[in-house]
Structures are given as structure tokens and as C-alpha cells.
Amino acid sequence: MNNLLEVRNLSKSFGGLQVTRNVDLTIAPGDRVALIGPNGAGKTTLVNLISGVLDPTGGEVMLDGSKVTALSQRQRAHRGLIRTFQITRLFHSMTVADTLRVAAIQKNGMTYRFGWGGRSADLIEKSVERVLTDLRLQDRRDNDVSLLAYGEQRLVELGVALIMEPRVLMLDEPAAGVPQSESHIIMDAIENLPAELGVLFIEHDMDLVFRFARRIIVLVSGGVFCTGTPDEIAANEDVRAMYLGEAS
Amino acid sequence: MTNTQRTLGAAAVIPIVAVALVVIFPNQQAFLAQIAITALLVLSLDLVVGFAGLATLGHAAMYGAGAYAAALYSLHVWAEPLTGLVVGILAGGLVALVSALMLMRAHGLTFLMMTVAITQIIYEIVNKSRAVTGGDDGLYGIMMQPLFGRFEFDFYGRLAFWYAAVVLWLVFLLLRHIAASPFGLTARAVRDDGGRVSSLGGGIFAHRVALYTLSGGIAGLAGALSAQTVQVVGLNTLSVTYSAEILVMLVMGGTGRLWGALLGALVFMMIHHYAAEVDPVRWMLFIGAMLVMIVLFLPKGLFGGLEAAVNRLREGART
């Protein structure tokens, strides 16, 4: 199967400090790849490099076989490379439905439209309703996002990404900060992601990692320490000693 | 209340207030015209401050550009009022577009200082171009043709008031429509978190340039209205001081809601008018004290305070 995303020899230095070291990874349609590693391993930096927030010092990012290394974050988003953030970034003055509409407007290139008429507007409303239904947020559609419980905010963050109909979705700690009582909402949402979507997710919650990942990449000091299936990673003594600890 | 009811209600407010003001102040329609023009200018500023979240001290540059362009057009080309308004819109929009291409790459304090610098540059250019602009004497003797070839501008400002009020009303309705459109929603999103919009494929720079240009066009329209109704254009229309004054009006009224711009302009102009009669030297003390109170106790401005009071009353009536 052709890879949707391919990262080749990706590196990043800030002055004399190298934070990403020659990383290679691939994401195929339907992949569920977890990126784990201790704090400071460079996981979020790697996502920032892939999504175009940061420019790499060396290496390439390929999307659907084309180089996108020189493209901006915005251009990569238009090609279907979408991410979420470790700390929820929603539009605090808006309702849930308006937040989703903003994403749909960008997706459909309607930013400079001064009215809601036409077929595109219908498409937007349909996609907003679809995501609200999929994430079971219909009751929250007119609530201000800033007043939602944190677990629901994380869900809206995921909804914003899904409404973009991504080909590759990068989730940066989707369950971070979510109370145990609400984490099942996030787990259900991740479980029900479209089958053909390629997913790369950073997560510290090992239950979530071992439940959803079909492949795990362990990152240490900015470089790939090892890669394998969940069983292989769980059985790796070095990883257990270094990172998984009691969690394994 | 349905959206249609809300829109009709909003559309009725400006005509009702206009009639009420004429009934209450029958002999001050020239002053009322100034209030309407100032409200239009503050509305345009709300697009930049309230919707884009950019604090500026340079909005008078677009207002002055519109005023000078409309004045020159009527003095040298054609004194027809409506085409003069179009010239004002184009002049304000052009100044906004050119400056936005520089300004929108800056943020925070740098942005604020650049708005001051650009306004000062335009002020000096106009001041030194005495042959065209009249320098510090300004432009005067602007005589407009009758509106629609039929309605003469009168000495008492009766036509001027209704002319300005109708333009204000139409622009207000247009901006309400735009605020609820995909463009307006994106503007609010860019204000809340531009980086997030970028991560969704949105172009922040181009969007801010478009919004600033739209705002500049409306400021230019206000300037053209002023030139046509006051019949004099001076350097004060381009000053940083005037920019600060309209920013005070907006903060007093409340940002990001359009209504706040209208209320802020009305209250400020009324206080200016009557407090200056009582004490022509220290009337700004009233404004200063009021601004401090508003910032401390009504962070969403007078309109926000009014809205909160109405909501409390409604809840009280329900229980």
C-alpha cells in the first residue's frame, strides 16, 4: 500500500541543540501509529516539523509521494495533513457549532464569502451536523466552547480536525488533561475514526496507546529509539526500563 | 426571538433613534449629522479593533484620505454627492490596503507604533502639499450639488443629518450581515487564535488585509460625508489625536458588537457637546473619569453593561 505520509531523515536544531535527529517514519491509509517517549524526547517538535509549524534543518516530508517540506502549514492543511494540539486551541468567543463552521469554511475555501447562500453553505451545515452527530455533541451545538467540560473541549478539538476531512491526522496527546471519568468519550471517538484515515498520535496514557496503536515508535532525545508492534514494544526490555516502567 | 425578528429589530433601532434625536434636538441637526458621521467612523474602527483584535491609533488616516479625496473631487471634478461618497470609499480603502500590506506583518506594540507612524507620514504629506490640499489652512468652499439632483443641502444641516443617518443605517445593516457571514466568522476566529486558523488552512495575512481595507473604505466614506456636510476639511481629520479619540469612543461603547460603536459615539459626542459648554477647557476630565469607570466596572463597555442589566431584568421577571 502506498504511504500517505513519509518522513525521511528529518532533523531540527536550535543553535547547537539538536532536538530532532534523522527521524524516518511512514503512515499508510488506515495506520494507527503511536509516538511515545519520555518528556523532552521531541515528540511535539516532530509533529510541528511534519505539520509545517517549524522548518526542519534537514530531511524531507512527503505527502502522497510529493515533497511538502517547503510548504507552509496552511498549504499542508489544504493537502489533508491536519493536526490537533496538546493544549486545546479552540475559538473561545464561539459556540461549538461556530467553531466547527470556521474549520468547514477553511476546508471549502469560503473565507471571503459575505453571505451563507448557495450549495457550499449547505455542505458546511451538513458537515457540521455530521461531526456533531459522530461525536455525540448535538446537545452542545449552541454552547460556548469555553464553558464546556475539558473532555468535551478535547472532543471539539478532534471535531475541528475531522471536519477538515484529513488524509493524515496527527493527534498531540488527545487525552491529556481529561479526567478519568471523561476519558471514555475520547477513546470512543478515536475508536470510531474513519478506517481509511492515517493517524499518528502522541500519548502518555499507555492504556490508550496499547488499545489503539498498531505500530509504536519510541522517540528518545529526538531520535527513533525503536519501532514495533505493541507486543514487540511491550516486550522490549530497554523500553520497559527506560520509559514504560510500571505501566508495562 | 427568531433571526428574522432580531434582524428587523436591529434594523428599526437607527431610524427610531434618529427620529427621537430630531424631536428632542430640533435645532441641532448639523450636530446630529456629526454624531452620525462619527458613529460611522467608530463602526469602521470596530472592524479592526473588535473583529480583528488589532489596537490602532491610525484610523484617522483613512478618514482623512476619504475627506480630502471627496473634497478635491467636488472642488475640481464633480460636486455630485453620491459619486463623492464612492471617491471617499476608494481613497480610504486604498490607503488602508497599502498600509495593511506593511502593517499586517507586525504585531502588538510594533503594529500600534506603525499605525502612528503611517498616520504621521500621511499628515505631513498633506500638510506640505499646500498647492493641492491647502496645507494647514485645509480645503474650504466645498459646495455640493443637490442630492439626487433635487434635495438642496441647507444651512441648518437638516438634509445633512438624514443623508448621514441613512448612510449610517445602510452600513450598519451591511456590517451586521458581514459579521454573521463566513468572512465575519473567520475574522473572529483569526482574532481568537490566528495560528489555529492557519493550521486549518486559513490565510491570516490576506484575511486581515481584506478586513483592514474594508474598514478603511468605510472610514473613507465617513470622511467623504464629513467633507460634504461640513464643507471644510482640515488637517485635524488626519491626526493621531483624532484616532485616539475615536478609539476612546469605541472602548466606551464596547468593542466587537457594532452596537457599542454606535452607543460610544453618541455618548461621547453628547458629553463633548454639553460638557464643553459648561467648561470648554476641562471637559475632557469628564470623559477621562467616565472611561476609567467603564474600564474598571464595565469591561464590555456601555453596551455590554446595558445588555447585562437587561438580561438581569428579564431573568428577574421570569422568576
Side-chain angles (χ1 to χ4, degrees), chain A residues 54 65 68 92 159:
Chain A
L54 293 174
V68 296
H92 59 79

Side-chain angles (χ1 to χ4, degrees), chain A residues 73 78 89 93 114 116 164, chain B residues 177 180 192-193 196 199-201:
Chain A
Q73 179 186 15
H78 277 296
R89 287 177 68 175
S93 71
F114 292 99
W116 282 103
M164 298 297 293
Chain B
H177 177 77
D192 286 357
D193 189 343
R196 187 70 176 108
S199 76
L200 298 171

